[in-house]
Amino acid sequence: MREYSPDLTPPWKRAKAVPEVPADPDLVVEVAGTDFCGAVVSCEAGTVTLEDRFGKRRVFPLEPRGYLLDGAVVTLTRPSRAPAAPARTASGSLAVPGARARVARAGRIYVEGRHDAELVERVWGDDLRIEGVVVEYLEGIDDLPTIVADFAPAADARLGVLVDHLVPGSKESRIAAEVTSPHVLIVGHPYVDVWQAVKPSALGIAAWPVVPRGEDWKTGVCRALGWPPNTGAAWRHILSKVTSYRDLEPTLLGAVEHLIDHVTA
């Protein structure tokens, strides 16, 4: 049997018990013995991550009596149950569990090519199905004015068009200027091809290579990056690296979001 061993420490020298506080997200505490004050971002086994008002994050151990809450010493503990983060789609929208695809609207979004359509589907597919928006690709926009006239856009059948290389003075900008219907929105990005709308960091490269004028851009990219001269395989590799909106350039994100808003207005 274990012998009883009394605590002979004088009462005035014994450490007083302090409250235990769960390190719930957004709880603001100060780290004892430092001037760091921040909100709880996450809490894992043995550590807590705090973020100060400047956005700086630091990791600290969950030590007894290691924090101050409203000036009082406390011991942070792991939350009894971590709150589940809301599920989100690849575009960053809140996911709607169990939602069924809406019947397709009369309105449409047109994009130039198959790669554009696949990239939009990759990131915004869930959102488009919930909104009932169909995306179709045109294989180029040389005949855009005729295509728009055949579509016959109206207030209840809006049309949005995503155009590559839509910059002042380009052929694409001149064609887009020929479309004047108030029910059509034409937006674009500055890139020669939608490949460039994928951030280089998502592919593990420093930057998209500069392709000499007169050379097929996609072929030139494969050559410069040391990829096999198969643009179809190259695109499948690029698309596989896109997991969410974070992998795309802001110019494309804004353009597609604008088109969805226009068609669903």
Side-chain angles (χ1 to χ4, degrees), residues 47-62:
T47 64
V48 61
T49 301
L50 303 179
E51 180 179 289
D52 69 11
R53 61 192 181 93
F54 301 107
K56 181 179 180 181
R57 295 188 178 187
R58 291 181 59 183
V59 180
F60 298 94
L62 285 178

Side-chain angles (χ1 to χ4, degrees), residues 199-222:
K199 290 180 178 178
S201 58
L203 301 172
I205 61 177
W208 285 101
V210 177
V211 177
R213 185 181 295 273
E215 181 179 2
D216 177 73
W217 190 83
K218 293 177 181 176
T219 302
V221 165
C222 291

